[in-house]
Amino acid sequence: MLAYIARRLLLIIPTLLGIMLVNFVVIQSAPGGPVEQLIGQITGTGVDVVASRVSGESVDISKSSGQQGDKGGAYRGRQGLPEEFVAEIERMYGFDKPAYVRFLEMVRNYVVFDFGDSFFRDQKVVDLVLQKMPVSISLGIWTTLLVYLISIPLGIAKAVRDGSRFDIWSSGVIIVGYAIPSFLFAILLVVLFAGGSYLDWFPLRGLVSDNWRDLSWPARITDYFWHMTLPVLAMVIGGFAGLTMLTKNSFLDQIHQQYVITARAKGLTERRVLYGHVFRNAMLIVIAGFPSAFIGILFTSALLIEVIFSLDGLGLLGFEAALNRDYPVMFGSLYFFSLLGLLMNLIGDLSYTIIDPRIDFESREV
């Protein structure tokens, strides 16, 4: 097992490198980079403020204001800006170097988890990620926990009662939950319970109240869950349907296997057959989907929920970075997400051996 883990950890290195290279090429070839973003600010509003940000020296932008056209410039909207000023912007963002040099420098820095500074927030990327992480971690952990606690028992119950009234009406509830996007359900919860049009039971902003540090520990815990109730509920509604049907279909497939028929013929109780034989085999496919489900909930599904409930987490950070072409935040977040996803896949594989010790990864070629 240790040899298998070592091989998988070593495979993370080329996988991460490939992910970063592909995304670097795609993002670098996309129009509207950080240089164009800043040039757009300069040519739009706040020229003097932005000019002082670019260089400590005074750059006379107006001296080229009478220029016509864009002499050899690669950036739209740079008419009227002096060449040395644009070159200073490129130097500030590191675009005075060839693309391959920038990529190699990024890889070298990322090896030691040096993600640099944000282009537009004047903060280190690591500090930004650590700042936003508690919100996304909270949403991801509680949502995943509740989804699995609801979906697995419900899926087992549906499989055991396949075709019954319980199976039919619960399938109707699941279809409705699957059809309603989590963000739409979040809006409905805001309207009903967060002071929208009816009740004002839950807060609409932040992870905790402003006076959270002044509260006692029991009051802090209560305040935290008070703020988390509606966002987590909205995400659970959108996440439990698929896992419930996966669990049901997995159990139905195992229930009709020959070993189950043999176990029943030996006189074993239905409960022992279900949880002593079927459960271990049926849960393998459910566990296999756990890493991707957790990553999806943690960094994808939470984006609109964070916006609706004014939760400043990693999803919102990555979205704003993409809009502003904040490359250090974009690549730093991508590196962190990819590394976490690869590690979660390894943890998912190792969980197989916990559920079914008969699985031996040592006998497999990686």
Side-chain angles (χ1 to χ4, degrees), residues 201-277:
W201 289 354
F202 296 94
L204 189 56
R205 180 179 296 275
L207 191 63
V208 292
S209 300
D210 295 334
N211 63 336
W212 186 79
R213 295 185 180 276
D214 300 327
L215 301 175
S216 62
W217 275 109
R220 288 184 181 185
I221 295 173
T222 302
D223 181 76
Y224 167 76
F225 283 108
W226 183 45
H227 282 77
M228 290 297 297
T229 298
L230 294 187
V232 169
L233 183 58
M235 294 179 66
V236 167
I237 292 297
F240 87 100
L243 184 60
T244 300
M245 296 309 297
L246 176 65
T247 303
K248 176 191 174 181
N249 293 332
S250 178
F251 269 79
L252 280 177
D253 178 65
Q254 293 298 319
I255 286 174
H256 295 97
Q257 295 293 327
Q258 184 62 43
Y259 74 91
V260 176
I261 299 174
T262 303
R264 287 172 175 164
K266 290 181 178 180
L268 296 180
T269 63
E270 192 65 25
R271 183 179 182 85
R272 185 170 180 183
V273 170
L274 183 63
Y275 292 101
H277 294 77

Side-chain angles (χ1 to χ4, degrees), residues 1 74 121 124 159 168 181 217 227 232 249 263 289 309 338:
M1 181 59 69
R121 288 177 176 257
K124 290 186 177 297
I168 294 173
W217 275 109
H227 282 77
V232 169
N249 293 332
F309 290 99
S338 301

Side-chain angles (χ1 to χ4, degrees), residues 337-359:
F337 296 164
S338 301
L339 180 60
L340 183 60
L342 292 170
L343 291 175
M344 289 299 298
N345 280 326
L346 175 58
I347 293 173
D349 285 347
L350 296 179
S351 299
Y352 280 134
T353 60
I354 298 175
I355 299 297
D356 191 350
R358 296 172 299 175
I359 295 178

Side-chain angles (χ1 to χ4, degrees), residues 86-197:
V86 176
E88 180 66 18
I89 296 177
E90 291 178 337
R91 185 201 62 77
M92 181 180 69
Y93 288 140
F95 281 80
D96 57 331
K97 304 174 184 177
Y100 74 92
V101 174
R102 298 200 305 271
F103 178 74
L104 292 177
E105 290 181 351
M106 182 183 72
V107 171
R108 186 177 64 249
N109 293 332
Y110 281 16
V111 169
V112 294
F113 292 94
D114 179 10
F115 302 117
D117 299 328
S118 168
F119 284 162
F120 301 104
R121 288 177 176 257
D122 296 324
Q123 284 184 269
K124 290 186 177 297
V125 175
V126 172
D127 293 338
L128 281 172
V129 171
L130 293 178
Q131 224 174 53
K132 315 299 183 184
M133 192 179 294
V135 174
S136 295
I137 291 287
S138 296
L139 285 174
I141 288 179
W142 292 117
T143 301
T144 305
L145 179 64
L146 288 176
V147 164
Y148 271 75
L149 287 177
I150 294 171
S151 299
I152 292 177
L154 181 58
I156 295 174
K158 285 176 64 62
V160 174
R161 299 172 177 84
D162 184 39
S164 66
R165 290 185 178 180
F166 170 79
D167 183 41
I168 294 173
W169 72 256
S170 60
S171 294
V173 174
I174 289 172
I175 291 172
V176 172
Y178 190 80
I180 299 177
S182 57
F183 74 90
L184 188 60
F185 191 73
I187 295 174
L188 177 63
L189 292 176
V190 170
V191 172
L192 293 178
F193 301 111
S197 300

